[in-house]
Amino acid sequence: MIFTLIRGFFILLLTVVITYFFSFIGKIPGSIVFEIQEKEFKFSIIVFLLMLLIFGFLFFFSIKTFQLLIAIVDFFMGKETALLRFFKRIKYRRSQKALNNAIIALVEGENQKVLAETSKALLNPDFEKAVYLIKAKAEENLGNQENADKIFKRLLPIKETRLAALDGLIRSKISKGDLVTALELAKRSVILKPKNNQSLNTLFKIQIELKDWIGARKTLVLQQNLDKKTRSIKQRQEALVLYAEALKRKLEGEELRALETIKESMKKSPDLVPTVCLASDLENSIGKIKNAEKYIRSCWKINPHPDLAKKFANFYPEETPKNRLNRFSPLFKNFNNNPIVKSIKTELLIASEEFPAAKRVIQPLIKEEPNSSVLMMMAAIEKGLGSSEEIIQGWISKAFYAPRPPVWFCEKCNYSENWSPVCKKCKSFDSMTWGAQEINNVFSENKAILPFEVDNKTKTFERKIEDGELVQVSKEEENRKNEN
């Protein structure tokens, strides 16, 4: 605003000066006389000045016209001239405008327009590399993968576009399911630019897809050295990769090698519950049950979890509910306010038929965090205390509509399943988390979790290990199973 006022002031001042100058010249007496062949031409001073300006303009125009004619002659003779440079500038501006339009169209998703604009932009060879990359992306978006591959192969020998061309060919091979070739191309991409995080991420994803856990770990180590800020995340992911490698070795019967690998995984991430569970399984399988219990206790101090409790219970499947409760007692110390610990303690008290104590433990959970599992345990407690059928059914009804208890689920696709490093549904790595799903319904598309079965005919419950999970069954059902 201030600069506009200043500019306006100077324009007004210049106008005033010019007006005053011509007014002053007009008031000067006298005239200018030209005599040509005895003829006199008389002009006032102001007219003479105007004529000088006109003749000066005509002289300048004639010189420029003559220079233009010379430039036209040189142009047709093939010489480098200002005229040629003038047309080149026009061509450059048109190509630049077409390139800008192509970029905007690509962002907006108008891929056909991109192809049309890139054809115009190719008039200028300076834009060739960028134009071909944009064109290849548009062809990919349109599903013309063969055309895109041809462009990428054309750009591959060029140093500046080699990495982008490799990325395009990798995407093409992945879309066709040729992961082996994609892996080789990704390795070439990393060799070309070892500090490029995008290339390392692409290589890592392909290695995970091919279950090349050793290669995936090497890639993660490279990434840890690149970015110190994400080092803790990469170390956790390295622990997941080591877990997958240990599980693979366990399935192949190499239990000792699997144990070595899983110990390394625990060092990387000591609070990773599935890793500790697998380590305890391996120690238990070779007869070192004390080591297995030690792993569970160490992880429990960091992060109490139901999976740890299940593994801890599995060590002695034949023990009585009373003995199990006593063995679990050290784990409950210093965790009086933890909802997971309260829930597990309640289950063990129910199994030991200590229903009044179980009710005292579970009541805070019902007030603070009631879910279907907690409410079904309350139904079991009421049945054990001899409450009426109406009260028991009331708790069961509440459980039916209550939120589901925490489960392992994928943050990307919300799929609920047993924990694994890679989601079985969407194939995302390190996406499984423990908690409540977005759709908290007891009967969802996955599994209905009703931890207790309340029988109308019996009031006595016993804990039993089935398929690695704690379930509540009646004595009557146990006897029926033994008879069968």
Side-chain angles (χ1 to χ4, degrees):
M1 183 68 182
I2 294 171
F3 291 108
T4 306
L5 289 171
I6 292 170
R7 188 171 63 247
F9 172 75
F10 278 111
I11 291 169
L12 182 63
L13 183 63
L14 182 63
T15 306
V16 170
V17 170
I18 292 170
T19 305
Y20 177 77
F21 173 76
F22 279 103
S23 176
F24 176 76
I25 293 295
K27 290 177 181 178
I28 295 173
S31 60
I32 296 172
V33 179
F34 288 95
E35 187 175 340
I36 301 172
Q37 292 182 355
E38 298 180 354
K39 287 185 179 181
E40 287 186 358
F41 296 93
K42 195 175 183 181
F43 303 98
S44 65
I45 295 172
I46 193 165
V47 172
F48 175 73
L49 289 174
L50 288 172
M51 286 176 66
L52 277 178
L53 287 172
I54 292 168
F55 279 119
F57 174 75
L58 289 173
F59 179 74
F60 177 78
F61 180 75
S62 62
I63 289 172
K64 289 298 178 184
T65 304
F66 182 69
Q67 288 176 346
L68 177 63
L69 291 171
I70 293 171
I72 290 170
V73 173
D74 288 340
F75 172 73
F76 284 110
M77 291 177 70
K79 294 181 181 179
E80 179 71 22
T81 63
L83 185 65
L84 187 61
R85 290 193 295 272
F86 172 74
F87 285 116
K88 280 185 177 178
R89 281 197 296 272
I90 293 173
K91 192 176 178 182
Y92 180 86
R93 289 193 198 99
R94 286 178 180 172
S95 298
Q96 191 176 46
K97 186 179 179 182
L99 180 60
N100 292 337
N101 290 339
I103 294 169
I104 293 166
L106 185 67
V107 174
E108 291 176 349
E110 298 180 20
N111 296 297
Q112 291 290 356
K113 186 180 177 182
V114 172
L115 297 179
E117 293 294 339
T118 49
S119 300
K120 297 175 189 176
L122 280 172
L123 293 171
N124 192 324
D126 294 341
F127 298 146
E128 189 176 19
K129 297 165 191 173
V131 168
Y132 276 125
L133 283 174
I134 294 168
K135 189 175 181 181
K137 188 62 181 175
E139 292 283 11
E140 270 188 317
N141 294 342
L142 289 169
N144 304 329
Q145 195 60 56
E146 289 184 8
N147 294 343
D149 288 351
K150 287 177 184 176
I151 298 171
F152 287 132
K153 287 174 184 176
R154 181 174 181 173
L155 294 171
L156 204 55
I158 304 169
K159 184 180 178 181
E160 293 85 356
T161 58
R162 192 172 296 150
L163 188 64
L166 276 172
D167 286 342
L169 291 172
I170 290 166
R171 288 196 301 272
S172 174
K173 295 300 179 185
I174 291 172
S175 65
K176 292 174 183 176
D178 188 1
L179 294 176
V180 176
T181 308
L183 180 64
E184 293 304 316
L185 291 171
K187 286 178 180 177
R188 281 180 61 188
S189 179
V190 171
I191 292 168
L192 190 66
K193 280 198 176 179
K195 292 186 178 181
N196 187 290
N197 211 21
Q198 184 179 340
S199 299
L200 288 169
N201 283 333
T202 304
L203 176 61
F204 179 72
K205 286 176 183 177
I206 297 169
Q207 288 167 331
I208 291 298
E209 192 74 22
L210 290 171
K211 297 183 179 179
D212 177 14
W213 307 116
I214 295 171
R217 189 188 178 190
K218 290 178 181 176
T219 306
L220 281 171
V221 171
L222 286 173
Q223 287 182 310
Q224 286 175 31
N225 297 331
L226 281 180
D227 191 356
K228 304 296 182 185
K229 293 179 181 177
T230 59
R231 193 165 187 175
S232 59
I233 298 170
K234 297 301 177 185
Q235 280 189 335
R236 172 191 160 80
Q237 291 181 346
E238 190 180 349
L240 300 187
V241 168
L242 286 165
Y243 170 92
E245 179 64 21
L247 186 62
K248 181 182 175 182
R249 287 175 176 175
K250 180 190 174 187
L251 295 174
E252 291 171 353
E254 301 177 6
E255 290 189 348
L256 291 175
R257 288 187 66 195
L259 185 58
E260 289 175 11
T261 306
I262 205 66
K263 282 180 180 178
E264 202 171 347
S265 176
M266 283 196 297
K267 288 178 184 177
K268 297 289 179 183
S269 185
D271 63 337
L272 189 60
V273 171
T275 302
V276 175
C277 290
L278 180 58
S280 66
D281 273 346
L282 289 167
E283 290 283 12
N284 193 22
S285 65
I286 61 174
K288 294 184 178 180
I289 195 166
K290 296 297 179 185
N291 286 347
E293 289 181 330
K294 182 183 173 182
Y295 294 153
I296 297 293
R297 289 193 188 98
S298 298
C299 188
W300 184 273
K301 289 176 184 177
I302 304 169
N303 180 25
H305 196 278
D307 287 358
L308 296 173
K310 290 173 187 177
K311 291 297 175 187
F312 200 69
N314 279 340
F315 293 147
Y316 304 98
E318 302 301 326
E319 70 182 339
T320 63
K322 286 277 186 187
N323 290 339
R324 181 166 295 163
L325 180 61
N326 292 332
R327 189 163 60 88
F328 266 82
S329 294
L331 296 181
F332 299 149
K333 290 179 180 178
N334 303 321
F335 289 102
N336 294 330
N337 296 322
N338 189 293
I340 292 173
V341 173
K342 284 181 181 178
S343 180
I344 293 166
K345 189 174 182 180
T346 302
E347 290 184 5
L348 293 170
L349 287 167
I350 291 171
S352 301
E353 299 183 17
E354 296 183 23
F355 299 112
K359 190 172 184 178
R360 285 194 299 272
V361 174
I362 203 173
Q363 277 178 338
L365 287 179
I366 291 172
K367 293 177 182 177
E368 297 164 11
E369 300 180 34
N371 56 47
S372 61
S373 176
V374 170
L375 294 171
M376 285 302 291
M377 281 193 283
M378 191 62 194
I381 290 168
E382 291 292 354
K383 189 162 184 66
L385 291 170
S387 300
S388 66
E389 193 65 28
E390 227 176 78
I391 293 172
I392 297 166
Q393 290 300 324
W395 286 111
I396 293 173
S397 299
K398 286 180 182 178
F400 185 86
Y401 295 105
R404 289 184 60 181
V407 291
W408 289 112
F409 71 98
C410 176
E411 288 181 312
K412 301 287 177 65
C413 66
N414 204 39
Y415 179 67
S416 175
E417 188 51 84
N418 292 333
W419 185 92
S420 62
V422 181
C423 174
K424 293 176 183 177
K425 187 177 180 182
C426 69
K427 307 300 179 185
S428 298
F429 178 75
D430 192 18
S431 61
M432 300 296 288
T433 186
W434 176 263
Q437 288 174 281
E438 290 180 13
I439 303 171
N440 283 320
N441 205 334
V442 175
F443 296 102
S444 71
E445 62 176 345
N446 298 306
K447 288 182 186 174
I449 296 183
L450 293 177
F452 292 94
E453 184 182 313
V454 182
D455 196 318
N456 290 330
K457 297 180 181 179
T458 179
K459 298 177 182 178
T460 310
F461 293 85
E462 186 177 311
R463 302 300 298 171
K464 181 181 162 76
I465 306 295
E466 288 186 2
D467 300 327
E469 291 189 10
L470 294 172
V471 296
Q472 184 76 17
V473 295
S474 66
K475 278 188 177 179
E476 234 178 59
E477 288 172 345
E478 178 68 12
N479 294 333
R480 198 183 304 123
K481 287 181 182 179
N482 291 333
E483 285 174 6
N484 292 336

